[in-house]
Every structure is written in structure tokens, then in C-alpha cells.
Amino acid sequence: MAGVVAILITVLFWRFVLLIAAEVYQGAGIGPDPAAFEARSELTGGGYTRAQSQAVVVDPASRDAASMLFIVGYVGPLAILGLLGLSFVAPSAEDPELRAAVLIVCLVLFAVLNRFGILNRIGRRPARFVATHLFRAHIKSPWIVFGDHAVAGLV
């Protein structure tokens, strides 16, 4: 059952990372819906549009959020596959059908909560706190923007 709990925590962590990135992108000037789309696109590695990518590249906090999304996007599926193996392949005294049922019920519950926006409402305040911290950490960032390029300033 520990593997099932770990899978659920990983899925919630993914959702929380998406909320953080969307908040950071909104702070960089991207609207709420395009910011959420941008975060999902970066997490899945699906690419993103030029107008929004320009806003991401210019802002240092957004660049950090994008880097975080790319890393989590590559590591997350591997973690879930490993945890699935831990849950259902590793020998355990618990019934595998029970573990599968608990996992399916919880994932359906997450999907329903996500569909009605309840996960967004729950995670929005902590995500804003983290996004605000990211912005404060980059107030004195030494980046200079020339046209389409962000270049590290010589300090």
C-alpha cells in the first residue's frame, strides 16, 4: 500500500508544480488560461507558443519555473512507473486487487476534484506563496534582454 500512497503523492506533487508555474507565469504577464496551458505544455514536453515563450525567457523566475517543469516532466513518469512496480510487482502480504482498487478510486477522485476546480482552489494559496518567493529571489537578477535574447549581465 505504501507504493500506492507514493503514486498518489507523486500525482499531487505534479499538480502542485503546475499550479506554481502557472502562478509564476501570471506574474510575468501571461494571462491565467495561457499560463496554465504553458505550464502543461512544458511539463509534458509538448512545446509552447512563441508569444508566451518570450515572456517566459525574459523573466528569471519564469525561467526557473520552466526548468523545474522540464525536469519534473522527465522524472515524473519514471517515478510513477517505478512506484507502480513497487506497488504491484514487489512481494507483499496485501491483496493486489485491493491496492489496484484503492489506486483507481483515488485517481478518479483526483480527476473529479480537478475537473471541478477544487484542486486549484486548494493549491492556489500555497502556489502563490511559492511563486512570490521565486519572484523575490530574482529581484536583483543580472539578466539583460537584447531583442529576443536574454543574456547574463557581467557583474
Side-chain angles (χ1 to χ4, degrees):
M1 194 63 81
V4 172
V5 171
I7 291 170
L8 298 175
I9 289 171
T10 303
V11 170
L12 281 176
F13 176 74
W14 259 33
R15 187 65 184 128
F16 185 63
V17 167
L18 282 173
L19 287 173
I20 291 170
E23 289 293 328
V24 170
Y25 295 157
Q26 288 178 35
I30 301 175
D33 289 336
F37 174 76
E38 188 78 20
R40 279 191 303 272
S41 296
E42 289 173 0
L43 183 71
T44 60
Y48 46 98
T49 61
R50 173 138 171 85
Q52 280 105 13
S53 65
Q54 181 73 21
V56 169
V57 170
V58 171
D59 184 58
S62 296
R63 280 195 305 272
D64 283 352
S67 298
M68 177 180 57
L69 283 172
F70 285 127
I71 291 169
V72 170
Y74 287 117
V75 173
L78 295 174
I80 289 176
L81 287 174
L83 291 169
L84 279 171
L86 177 68
S87 288
F88 296 104
V89 177
S92 174
E94 298 167 348
D95 186 22
E97 288 83 15
L98 174 66
R99 286 181 282 184
V102 168
L103 181 62
I104 290 170
V105 166
C106 288
L107 289 177
V108 168
L109 179 65
F110 285 156
V112 169
L113 293 175
N114 190 44
R115 176 71 179 131
F116 291 111
I118 295 170
L119 287 179
N120 283 345
R121 283 185 239 134
I122 292 170
R124 179 97 39 208
R125 183 168 286 146
R128 281 190 182 146
F129 175 77
V130 173
T132 303
H133 178 69
L134 281 173
F135 276 116
R136 286 186 187 144
H138 290 288
I139 287 176
K140 297 180 182 178
S141 181
W143 288 87
I144 303 170
V145 177
F146 295 108
D148 290 344
H149 304 286
V151 181
L154 299 174
V155 182

